[in-house]
Amino acid sequence: MQRIYINPSRALAPQLQPAVDAIAAGQVVAFPTDTLYGLAANPFDPAGVAAVFALKGRGADQALPLIAADVDQVMRVAIIDPVAMRLARAFWPGPLTLLLRSTAPLAPGVGSADGLVGVRVPDSDIGRTLARLVGFPVTATSANRSGEAPTADPDVVIASLSQLAALVDGGQCRGGPPSTIVDASTTPRLIREGAIPWSRVLEFLSVPSD
């Protein structure tokens, strides 16, 4: 495993290039998000997606979420209706995952059986820059074995997932709950409450848009 220590005083893109190359080669890379460490792979590559499930030791019936560089990148893989766009503009970058109607040929195990995909723009320079350099959203499921707790600690990631191609070591993540998941493909509904309280989302939606 290659451990890529991120120096915050240096340009980020050149430091991330080995991780970008690994993802392009169908490999899996661990990286820090704004909450916890995640596993990045090419969501269009069946072999790369299968490698994520193999590393985690879990079945492909649990769809993998994505992180993107920005809203424009999200729109390349999913439909964002006006209500979903309001949520995106209000809570991104940040820990809100939106389930949206997929429009892209994602690999099995990424989108759900009913054609939805979970995606967000993280409040993490490393995560956003990684997706921007790769050129499309990347998977972002938590970097842990199935049954183990997600972690904000890169040392724990290495101990648990020694077969990773690379670890982007940005130090400790903020930690805390994972992202909140909201189905925004129709009328928004809560799937999982996490870092953003559902009450805050409902309060925002109760205010008429301009």
Side-chain angles (χ1 to χ4, degrees), residues 37-127:
Y37 270 79
L39 296 178
N42 181 348
F44 301 97
D45 179 3
V49 170
V52 173
F53 284 109
L55 277 168
K56 288 183 69 73
R58 82 178 194 190
D61 56 324
Q62 301 178 55
L64 301 179
L66 306 178
I67 63 104
D70 49 36
V71 171
D72 288 342
Q73 198 175 70
V74 173
M75 293 174 67
R76 298 177 200 168
V77 298
I79 297 170
I80 305 183
D81 69 19
V83 174
M85 184 62 78
R86 284 188 65 206
L87 291 171
R89 297 296 187 193
F91 294 100
W92 289 350
L96 179 68
T97 295
L98 298 180
L99 295 183
L100 303 169
R101 186 68 54 187
S102 174
T103 58
L106 299 168
V110 180
S112 65
D114 53 359
L116 302 183
V117 61
V119 62
R120 73 186 180 99
V121 176
D123 187 16
S124 161
D125 287 342
I126 292 175

Side-chain angles (χ1 to χ4, degrees), residues 13-208:
Q15 297 181 77
L16 289 175
Q17 193 58 50
V20 173
D21 293 341
I23 293 170
Q27 298 174 316
V28 184
V29 172
F31 70 105
T33 73
D34 44 353
T35 52
L36 303 161
Y37 270 79
L39 296 178
N42 181 348
F44 301 97
D45 179 3
V49 170
V52 173
F53 284 109
L55 277 168
K56 288 183 69 73
R58 82 178 194 190
D61 56 324
Q62 301 178 55
L64 301 179
L66 306 178
I67 63 104
D70 49 36
V71 171
D72 288 342
Q73 198 175 70
V74 173
M75 293 174 67
R76 298 177 200 168
V77 298
I79 297 170
I80 305 183
D81 69 19
V83 174
M85 184 62 78
R86 284 188 65 206
L87 291 171
R89 297 296 187 193
F91 294 100
W92 289 350
L96 179 68
T97 295
L98 298 180
L99 295 183
L100 303 169
R101 186 68 54 187
S102 174
T103 58
L106 299 168
V110 180
S112 65
D114 53 359
L116 302 183
V117 61
V119 62
R120 73 186 180 99
V121 176
D123 187 16
S124 161
D125 287 342
I126 292 175
R128 293 195 307 273
T129 302
L130 183 64
R132 177 176 61 80
L133 293 174
V134 170
F136 45 76
V138 296
T139 67
T141 186
S142 58
N144 58 281
R145 295 280 300 173
S146 182
E148 297 177 356
T151 183
D153 187 337
D155 290 333
V156 174
V157 175
I158 285 181
S160 176
L161 301 172
S162 60
Q163 294 181 316
L164 282 166
L167 166 73
V168 177
D169 189 341
Q172 287 274 346
C173 297
R174 183 172 65 219
S179 67
T180 294
I181 302 176
V182 172
D183 184 345
S185 62
T186 56
T187 301
R189 64 186 180 94
L190 179 67
I191 303 299
R192 180 186 73 190
E193 187 162 27
I196 296 176
W198 177 233
S199 59
R200 183 179 164 198
V201 177
L202 289 176
E203 181 180 7
F204 170 77
L205 290 173
S206 71
V207 177

